[in-house]
Amino acid sequence: MSRDWYFEDFVPGQEFDLGTRTVNEDEIIAFATQFDPQPFHVDKEAAAKSIYGGVIASGWHTCAMIMRMVVDGMPCANSSMGSPGLDGVRWLQPVRAGDTLSLRHLTKEVKASNSKPDRGVVWSKWTATNQRGEAVCMIDGMAMFRRRPA
């Protein structure tokens, strides 16, 4: 993806990769300390005794990392108009320090706006996997994109 994408560039069924990111324990603990301070996210000793057997990333941290990968991986800075929301988020496997996440984007549906002809909506599924190919998070969402200028 080397050029700026607009609404017209999204086609149902298309898939593409949005890069990788390796997670470290310091960032897991820092995020959770501020936003999700449950013991298995912030306390190594308590996490070791938990059902997870060690510190894991908050699901919200996982979502934030995925969002960063989307912003960095999709050339839509000139056309993105934000999102009206998500239809679903699933945390399937714990994300741990040392995991390398890979992100795959699937375009599920596209629809040009009838009331606002300068934009369209794209429904997509983002699937994050770890270095073992295990799905760790799936997000079903929607985003608005500008139509390509004439």
Side-chain angles (χ1 to χ4, degrees):
M1 287 187 251
S2 60
R3 61 185 174 93
D4 287 341
W5 274 43
Y6 289 86
F7 169 74
E8 292 81 3
D9 295 305
F10 293 92
V11 178
Q14 78 188 147
E15 293 186 79
F16 43 88
D17 295 319
L18 293 175
T20 62
R21 177 185 179 95
T22 300
V23 185
N24 71 59
E25 189 172 74
D26 289 342
E27 72 177 313
I28 289 172
I29 293 171
F31 182 96
T33 296
Q34 186 167 3
F35 299 108
D36 189 359
Q38 297 181 75
F40 46 84
H41 297 318
V42 299
D43 182 325
K44 292 179 190 182
E45 189 174 308
K49 295 175 186 173
S50 76
I51 63 171
Y52 304 108
V55 171
I56 62 169
S58 165
W60 298 114
H61 183 199
T62 301
C63 288
M65 289 185 285
I66 288 170
M67 188 67 228
R68 181 61 193 243
M69 293 166 74
V70 169
V71 171
D72 289 347
M74 292 183 70
C76 300
N78 294 326
S79 66
S80 176
M81 300 175 85
S83 171
L86 302 174
D87 294 325
V89 175
R90 293 284 182 255
W91 297 300
L92 306 165
Q93 294 286 331
V95 172
R96 301 174 184 279
D99 281 353
T100 298
L101 304 181
S102 298
L103 187 62
R104 186 110 177 121
H105 174 281
L106 167 66
T107 302
K108 293 171 33 179
E109 184 180 346
V110 297
K111 183 176 187 250
S113 174
N114 292 326
S115 61
K116 297 177 180 159
D118 67 328
R119 68 194 70 173
V121 177
V122 175
W123 285 265
S124 59
K125 178 181 282 295
W126 301 335
T127 303
T129 56
N130 61 24
Q131 66 278 5
R132 292 178 297 283
E134 300 166 329
V136 297
C137 185
M138 290 182 159
I139 300 174
D140 287 305
M142 53 198 312
M144 298 177 295
F145 293 94
R146 283 187 178 72
R147 307 281 310 260
R148 179 170 271 103

